[in-house]
Amino acid sequence: MASSVMPTRKQADGHSTPAAISTVGLRKSYGDKTVLDGIDLRIPAGSVFALLGPNGAGKTTAVKILSTLISADGGQARVAGHDLTAEAQAVRAAIGVTGQFSAVDGLITGAENMLLMADLHHLSKREGRRVAAELLERFDLTEAAKKPAATYSGGMKRRLDIAMTLVGSPRIIFLDEPTTGLDPRARHSMWQIIRELVSGGVTVFLTTQYLDEADELADRIAVLNGGKIVAEGTAEELKRLIPGGHIRLRFSGPAAYQSAASALGEAARDDEALTLQLPGDGSQRELRAILDWLDAADIEADELSVHTPDLDDVFFALTGGAAIPDQPKETAR
């Protein structure tokens, strides 16, 4: 049996961070359709990793392979330090999986769902009751515990689903589009749950089509398109891959606007809004140069704003404009 010691990578500060999940050349096809075409991943323990991609990109297939639900056609993978193929049972013991479609049984109560999961993990009745009670309280479900799960709201069902997943104390949790269909309040509640899990040392592998969700939660993000990882990095690193940052100047009067427009010939003009748009990344040096120029020319701008590409821009640039669902407009910062 292979060693259960997880491989590590050397950080810039000299410390080593264990890898919770690592894959090399992971491949999967269905007939003549290649879904995963040589996927390499390395996900540090205790972090949130988000896998983005359009519908049909292979996100759920990746989760199913890494959680031992289906087999890969090729490549290698280690999860929680265990070889995915040779030590599948050890992998299953270390992980939890929550999909976009809840595994909650609506015909029984929330407490009964929890106790059923405790039985599946071979906990004693006493230990099962203790764990169930603690998790129901942790996820604010104690009052609803004796009600049929069919009466729960979407957010409550999702919380119960994750609580059931945590009965086995997994070190790694796969969340496959966990907030699909939830309202903004329930989504934010789920985000807080994910943050708490990670602060407790759990590794979260998140697939999502909500770009603000990845931006909000993930330590690292990979974009999957055409069966390949087309980009990977932090949200800020990915945003820097895409050109299009600009600095916008707005003027209250036409005289100041015309003077500035004449002097800044390369600026894009909006004569109706009295705004000028200059390409730039909004660095301190750029902003200081513009402000110094305005002072020297005795021109006053009423507003200066910096606009940088967001993950929407990154997604569309990397996936060729592949369709994604409408994105929620609000974010929680």
Side-chain angles (χ1 to χ4, degrees):
M1 181 173 290
S3 169
S4 62
V5 176
M6 290 186 288
T8 60
R9 74 180 165 118
K10 206 71 170 178
Q11 299 283 0
D13 61 4
H15 293 92
S16 293
T17 300
I21 301 169
S22 60
T23 73
V24 178
L26 207 61
R27 300 192 307 276
K28 183 66 177 180
S29 298
Y30 293 101
D32 59 357
K33 179 176 175 55
T34 300
V35 181
L36 299 178
D37 189 13
I39 302 301
D40 298 338
L41 295 174
R42 198 173 192 294
I43 302 170
S47 67
V48 179
F49 174 84
L51 186 62
L52 302 182
N55 288 326
K59 303 185 300 295
T60 297
T61 297
V63 169
K64 287 182 176 179
I65 291 173
L66 294 173
S67 58
T68 77
L69 294 176
I70 62 175
S71 299
D73 295 335
Q76 298 176 327
R78 296 184 71 83
V79 177
H82 303 288
D83 181 89
L84 191 64
T85 303
E87 301 173 277
Q89 189 58 42
V91 170
R92 294 186 195 107
I95 67 172
V97 183
T98 299
Q100 55 179 303
F101 302 107
S102 175
V104 172
D105 186 340
L107 298 178
I108 60 177
T109 68
E112 288 168 340
N113 270 282
M114 294 293 293
L115 293 174
L116 178 60
M117 189 60 63
D119 286 341
L120 292 174
H121 283 280
H122 307 293
L123 300 183
S124 67
K125 287 189 176 181
R126 180 178 180 180
E127 180 69 4
R129 286 194 297 268
R130 183 190 68 78
V131 170
E134 287 181 357
L135 287 169
L136 287 167
E137 181 178 4
R138 177 179 176 183
F139 288 94
D140 195 23
L141 292 168
T142 300
E143 290 186 10
K146 295 183 179 180
K147 297 178 181 178
T151 66
Y152 289 12
S153 67
M156 291 170 67
K157 286 181 180 176
R158 203 60 54 85
R159 295 205 308 274
L160 178 58
D161 206 9
I162 292 183
M164 290 164 61
T165 300
L166 294 180
V167 168
S169 301
R171 295 151 56 190
I172 300 168
I173 295 181
F174 293 92
L175 299 179
D176 189 18
E177 302 192 22
T179 63
T180 296
L182 298 186
D183 61 40
R185 184 182 298 275
R187 290 182 70 229
H188 288 181
S189 175
M190 188 61 58
W191 291 357
Q192 186 57 36
I193 288 171
I194 292 171
R195 293 189 187 99
E196 290 172 0
L197 290 173
V198 175
S199 69
V202 173
T203 304
V204 173
F205 186 111
L206 171 72
T207 74
T208 182
Q209 295 187 69
Y210 294 127
L211 305 182
D212 64 323
E213 188 160 272
D215 201 354
E216 186 74 29
L217 295 173
D219 298 296
R220 291 188 68 78
I221 300 168
V223 181
L224 182 63
N225 190 53
K228 297 180 180 294
I229 300 293
V230 294
E232 182 179 356
T234 66
E236 294 308 312
E237 287 170 345
L238 293 182
K239 291 172 188 177
R240 288 198 293 268
L241 294 176
I242 307 303
H246 60 270
I247 299 162
R248 183 176 297 166
L249 299 169
R250 186 178 64 80
F251 302 86
S252 59
Y257 169 71
Q258 291 295 345
S259 297
S262 298
L264 297 173
E266 74 274 21
R269 299 174 51 140
D270 185 335
D271 294 340
E272 185 175 341
L274 300 182
T275 62
L276 300 175
Q277 185 173 300
L278 296 161
D281 59 6
S283 67
Q284 184 176 347
R285 179 179 297 178
E286 274 187 337
L287 295 177
R288 184 182 294 115
I290 291 172
L291 293 173
D292 288 346
W293 177 86
L294 290 172
D295 286 340
D298 197 24
I299 298 173
E300 184 173 343
D302 290 83
E303 182 181 298
L304 183 152
S305 55
V306 178
H307 300 261
T308 56
D310 58 20
L311 280 184
D312 294 66
D313 301 314
V314 173
F315 187 97
F316 281 101
L318 294 175
T319 63
I324 56 173
D326 291 337
Q327 301 298 303
K329 299 301 182 186
E330 47 72 37
T331 57
R333 294 288 176 188

mmCIF file of all heavy atoms in Angstrom, residues 261-288:
data_model
loop_
_atom_site.group_PDB
_atom_site.id
_atom_site.type_symbol
_atom_site.label_atom_id
_atom_site.label_comp_id
_atom_site.label_asym_id
_atom_site.label_seq_id
_atom_site.Cartn_x
_atom_site.Cartn_y
_atom_site.Cartn_z
ATOM 1 N N ALA A 261 -9.631 66.843 -23.266
ATOM 2 C CA ALA A 261 -9.706 65.980 -24.439
ATOM 3 C C ALA A 261 -8.690 66.389 -25.497
ATOM 4 O O ALA A 261 -8.091 65.544 -26.165
ATOM 5 C CB ALA A 261 -11.122 66.020 -25.022
ATOM 6 N N SER A 262 -8.471 67.682 -25.639
ATOM 7 C CA SER A 262 -7.499 68.162 -26.623
ATOM 8 C C SER A 262 -6.084 67.763 -26.235
ATOM 9 O O SER A 262 -5.259 67.408 -27.090
ATOM 10 C CB SER A 262 -7.594 69.688 -26.752
ATOM 11 O OG SER A 262 -8.885 70.074 -27.217
ATOM 12 N N ALA A 263 -5.806 67.838 -24.945
ATOM 13 C CA ALA A 263 -4.452 67.523 -24.493
ATOM 14 C C ALA A 263 -4.189 66.024 -24.443
ATOM 15 O O ALA A 263 -3.058 65.583 -24.642
ATOM 16 C CB ALA A 263 -4.211 68.138 -23.113
ATOM 17 N N LEU A 264 -5.229 65.258 -24.178
ATOM 18 C CA LEU A 264 -5.077 63.804 -24.077
ATOM 19 C C LEU A 264 -5.646 63.167 -25.337
ATOM 20 O O LEU A 264 -6.728 62.571 -25.344
ATOM 21 C CB LEU A 264 -5.801 63.275 -22.840
ATOM 22 C CG LEU A 264 -5.273 63.773 -21.488
ATOM 23 C CD1 LEU A 264 -6.181 63.311 -20.369
ATOM 24 C CD2 LEU A 264 -3.857 63.271 -21.261
ATOM 25 N N GLY A 265 -4.926 63.277 -26.408
ATOM 26 C CA GLY A 265 -5.413 62.819 -27.700
ATOM 27 C C GLY A 265 -5.711 61.332 -27.754
ATOM 28 O O GLY A 265 -6.567 60.889 -28.521
ATOM 29 N N GLU A 266 -5.015 60.521 -26.923
ATOM 30 C CA GLU A 266 -5.212 59.072 -26.979
ATOM 31 C C GLU A 266 -6.402 58.613 -26.153
ATOM 32 O O GLU A 266 -6.762 57.442 -26.175
ATOM 33 C CB GLU A 266 -3.958 58.349 -26.480
ATOM 34 C CG GLU A 266 -3.734 58.386 -24.966
ATOM 35 C CD GLU A 266 -3.000 59.643 -24.504
ATOM 36 O OE1 GLU A 266 -3.007 60.645 -25.248
ATOM 37 O OE2 GLU A 266 -2.409 59.608 -23.412
ATOM 38 N N ALA A 267 -7.035 59.541 -25.434
ATOM 39 C CA ALA A 267 -8.157 59.162 -24.579
ATOM 40 C C ALA A 267 -9.414 58.921 -25.410
ATOM 41 O O ALA A 267 -9.701 59.639 -26.372
ATOM 42 C CB ALA A 267 -8.422 60.251 -23.544
ATOM 43 N N ALA A 268 -10.183 57.910 -25.024
ATOM 44 C CA ALA A 268 -11.483 57.660 -25.641
ATOM 45 C C ALA A 268 -12.482 58.651 -25.064
ATOM 46 O O ALA A 268 -12.545 58.857 -23.849
ATOM 47 C CB ALA A 268 -11.928 56.231 -25.374
ATOM 48 N N ARG A 269 -13.285 59.267 -25.933
ATOM 49 C CA ARG A 269 -14.170 60.348 -25.522
ATOM 50 C C ARG A 269 -15.623 59.882 -25.434
ATOM 51 O O ARG A 269 -16.069 59.041 -26.195
ATOM 52 C CB ARG A 269 -14.088 61.507 -26.518
ATOM 53 C CG ARG A 269 -12.728 62.130 -26.657
ATOM 54 C CD ARG A 269 -12.703 63.170 -27.770
ATOM 55 N NE ARG A 269 -13.774 64.153 -27.659
ATOM 56 C CZ ARG A 269 -13.611 65.451 -27.905
ATOM 57 N NH1 ARG A 269 -12.417 65.920 -28.259
ATOM 58 N NH2 ARG A 269 -14.620 66.281 -27.806
ATOM 59 N N ASP A 270 -16.326 60.467 -24.478
ATOM 60 C CA ASP A 270 -17.779 60.342 -24.410
ATOM 61 C C ASP A 270 -18.308 61.754 -24.223
ATOM 62 O O ASP A 270 -18.397 62.267 -23.097
ATOM 63 C CB ASP A 270 -18.199 59.436 -23.255
ATOM 64 C CG ASP A 270 -19.713 59.191 -23.221
ATOM 65 O OD1 ASP A 270 -20.467 60.033 -23.738
ATOM 66 O OD2 ASP A 270 -20.127 58.155 -22.664
ATOM 67 N N ASP A 271 -18.629 62.427 -25.351
ATOM 68 C CA ASP A 271 -18.995 63.843 -25.304
ATOM 69 C C ASP A 271 -20.292 64.074 -24.536
ATOM 70 O O ASP A 271 -20.476 65.129 -23.928
ATOM 71 C CB ASP A 271 -19.136 64.391 -26.732
ATOM 72 C CG ASP A 271 -17.804 64.396 -27.472
ATOM 73 O OD1 ASP A 271 -16.750 64.356 -26.790
ATOM 74 O OD2 ASP A 271 -17.800 64.431 -28.716
ATOM 75 N N GLU A 272 -21.186 63.101 -24.556
ATOM 76 C CA GLU A 272 -22.456 63.288 -23.850
ATOM 77 C C GLU A 272 -22.274 63.219 -22.342
ATOM 78 O O GLU A 272 -22.838 64.019 -21.590
ATOM 79 C CB GLU A 272 -23.446 62.218 -24.304
ATOM 80 C CG GLU A 272 -24.834 62.395 -23.710
ATOM 81 C CD GLU A 272 -25.836 61.396 -24.263
ATOM 82 O OE1 GLU A 272 -25.563 60.817 -25.334
ATOM 83 O OE2 GLU A 272 -26.887 61.210 -23.622
ATOM 84 N N ALA A 273 -21.455 62.262 -21.884
ATOM 85 C CA ALA A 273 -21.232 62.095 -20.448
ATOM 86 C C ALA A 273 -20.080 62.946 -19.934
ATOM 87 O O ALA A 273 -19.832 62.989 -18.729
ATOM 88 C CB ALA A 273 -20.964 60.632 -20.125
ATOM 89 N N LEU A 274 -19.373 63.630 -20.847
ATOM 90 C CA LEU A 274 -18.200 64.438 -20.490
ATOM 91 C C LEU A 274 -17.157 63.595 -19.750
ATOM 92 O O LEU A 274 -16.638 63.988 -18.693
ATOM 93 C CB LEU A 274 -18.614 65.644 -19.635
ATOM 94 C CG LEU A 274 -19.606 66.629 -20.265
ATOM 95 C CD1 LEU A 274 -19.884 67.797 -19.306
ATOM 96 C CD2 LEU A 274 -19.079 67.165 -21.588
ATOM 97 N N THR A 275 -16.861 62.430 -20.284
ATOM 98 C CA THR A 275 -15.854 61.566 -19.681
ATOM 99 C C THR A 275 -14.777 61.198 -20.684
ATOM 100 O O THR A 275 -15.036 61.097 -21.892
ATOM 101 C CB THR A 275 -16.480 60.259 -19.135
ATOM 102 O OG1 THR A 275 -17.050 59.527 -20.210
ATOM 103 C CG2 THR A 275 -17.544 60.547 -18.085
ATOM 104 N N LEU A 276 -13.588 60.995 -20.179
ATOM 105 C CA LEU A 276 -12.448 60.525 -20.959
ATOM 106 C C LEU A 276 -11.968 59.215 -20.359
ATOM 107 O O LEU A 276 -11.952 59.057 -19.125
ATOM 108 C CB LEU A 276 -11.311 61.546 -20.950
ATOM 109 C CG LEU A 276 -11.612 62.924 -21.522
ATOM 110 C CD1 LEU A 276 -10.416 63.856 -21.329
ATOM 111 C CD2 LEU A 276 -11.970 62.834 -23.002
ATOM 112 N N GLN A 277 -11.558 58.305 -21.212
ATOM 113 C CA GLN A 277 -11.104 56.997 -20.750
ATOM 114 C C GLN A 277 -9.706 56.739 -21.276
ATOM 115 O O GLN A 277 -9.464 56.746 -22.473
ATOM 116 C CB GLN A 277 -12.066 55.924 -21.248
ATOM 117 C CG GLN A 277 -11.764 54.531 -20.738
ATOM 118 C CD GLN A 277 -12.857 53.549 -21.121
ATOM 119 O OE1 GLN A 277 -14.021 53.719 -20.752
ATOM 120 N NE2 GLN A 277 -12.494 52.543 -21.870
ATOM 121 N N LEU A 278 -8.770 56.514 -20.332
ATOM 122 C CA LEU A 278 -7.372 56.270 -20.667
ATOM 123 C C LEU A 278 -7.014 54.827 -20.334
ATOM 124 O O LEU A 278 -7.382 54.328 -19.260
ATOM 125 C CB LEU A 278 -6.452 57.197 -19.872
ATOM 126 C CG LEU A 278 -6.577 58.700 -20.149
ATOM 127 C CD1 LEU A 278 -5.988 59.474 -19.008
ATOM 128 C CD2 LEU A 278 -5.878 59.042 -21.445
ATOM 129 N N PRO A 279 -6.296 54.135 -21.211
ATOM 130 C CA PRO A 279 -5.852 52.781 -20.862
ATOM 131 C C PRO A 279 -4.866 52.836 -19.704
ATOM 132 O O PRO A 279 -4.033 53.748 -19.628
ATOM 133 C CB PRO A 279 -5.184 52.279 -22.145
ATOM 134 C CG PRO A 279 -4.813 53.515 -22.897
ATOM 135 C CD PRO A 279 -5.838 54.547 -22.552
ATOM 136 N N GLY A 280 -4.971 51.873 -18.799
ATOM 137 C CA GLY A 280 -4.049 51.848 -17.663
ATOM 138 C C GLY A 280 -4.505 50.854 -16.621
ATOM 139 O O GLY A 280 -5.661 50.424 -16.612
ATOM 140 N N ASP A 281 -3.577 50.500 -15.745
ATOM 141 C CA ASP A 281 -3.897 49.514 -14.704
ATOM 142 C C ASP A 281 -4.202 50.146 -13.358
ATOM 143 O O ASP A 281 -4.410 49.460 -12.373
ATOM 144 C CB ASP A 281 -2.755 48.509 -14.555
ATOM 145 C CG ASP A 281 -1.434 49.176 -14.179
ATOM 146 O OD1 ASP A 281 -1.438 50.404 -13.919
ATOM 147 O OD2 ASP A 281 -0.412 48.467 -14.151
ATOM 148 N N GLY A 282 -4.195 51.494 -13.322
ATOM 149 C CA GLY A 282 -4.525 52.170 -12.078
ATOM 150 C C GLY A 282 -3.428 52.137 -11.050
ATOM 151 O O GLY A 282 -3.684 52.305 -9.855
ATOM 152 N N SER A 283 -2.184 51.956 -11.507
ATOM 153 C CA SER A 283 -1.067 51.934 -10.559
ATOM 154 C C SER A 283 -0.892 53.321 -9.936
ATOM 155 O O SER A 283 -1.337 54.345 -10.479
ATOM 156 C CB SER A 283 0.222 51.523 -11.269
ATOM 157 O OG SER A 283 0.620 52.513 -12.206
ATOM 158 N N GLN A 284 -0.233 53.356 -8.799
ATOM 159 C CA GLN A 284 -0.015 54.619 -8.103
ATOM 160 C C GLN A 284 0.750 55.602 -8.985
ATOM 161 O O GLN A 284 0.442 56.804 -9.012
ATOM 162 C CB GLN A 284 0.753 54.362 -6.806
ATOM 163 C CG GLN A 284 0.945 55.600 -5.943
ATOM 164 C CD GLN A 284 1.628 55.266 -4.630
ATOM 165 O OE1 GLN A 284 1.744 54.103 -4.268
ATOM 166 N NE2 GLN A 284 2.079 56.274 -3.918
ATOM 167 N N ARG A 285 1.726 55.092 -9.728
ATOM 168 C CA ARG A 285 2.515 55.957 -10.603
ATOM 169 C C ARG A 285 1.645 56.575 -11.693
ATOM 170 O O ARG A 285 1.750 57.773 -11.992
ATOM 171 C CB ARG A 285 3.657 55.156 -11.233
ATOM 172 C CG ARG A 285 4.517 55.956 -12.189
ATOM 173 C CD ARG A 285 5.637 55.102 -12.757
ATOM 174 N NE ARG A 285 6.544 54.653 -11.713
ATOM 175 C CZ ARG A 285 7.592 53.860 -11.936
ATOM 176 N NH1 ARG A 285 7.841 53.421 -13.154
ATOM 177 N NH2 ARG A 285 8.379 53.505 -10.942
ATOM 178 N N GLU A 286 0.758 55.763 -12.287
ATOM 179 C CA GLU A 286 -0.133 56.274 -13.334
ATOM 180 C C GLU A 286 -1.066 57.343 -12.791
ATOM 181 O O GLU A 286 -1.242 58.405 -13.409
ATOM 182 C CB GLU A 286 -0.970 55.124 -13.917
ATOM 183 C CG GLU A 286 -0.306 54.351 -15.026
ATOM 184 C CD GLU A 286 -1.275 53.360 -15.651
ATOM 185 O OE1 GLU A 286 -2.251 52.976 -14.997
ATOM 186 O OE2 GLU A 286 -1.032 52.977 -16.803
ATOM 187 N N LEU A 287 -1.662 57.070 -11.659
ATOM 188 C CA LEU A 287 -2.608 58.017 -11.089
ATOM 189 C C LEU A 287 -1.924 59.321 -10.708
ATOM 190 O O LEU A 287 -2.465 60.414 -10.936
ATOM 191 C CB LEU A 287 -3.294 57.401 -9.867
ATOM 192 C CG LEU A 287 -4.179 56.179 -10.143
ATOM 193 C CD1 LEU A 287 -4.739 55.626 -8.840
ATOM 194 C CD2 LEU A 287 -5.309 56.535 -11.090
ATOM 195 N N ARG A 288 -0.720 59.225 -10.139
ATOM 196 C CA ARG A 288 0.003 60.441 -9.771
ATOM 197 C C ARG A 288 0.338 61.274 -11.004
ATOM 198 O O ARG A 288 0.229 62.506 -10.991
ATOM 199 C CB ARG A 288 1.278 60.083 -9.003
ATOM 200 C CG ARG A 288 2.037 61.321 -8.505
ATOM 201 C CD ARG A 288 3.317 60.971 -7.784
ATOM 202 N NE ARG A 288 3.058 60.266 -6.534
ATOM 203 C CZ ARG A 288 3.406 59.017 -6.299
ATOM 204 N NH1 ARG A 288 4.023 58.316 -7.245
ATOM 205 N NH2 ARG A 288 3.153 58.466 -5.134
#
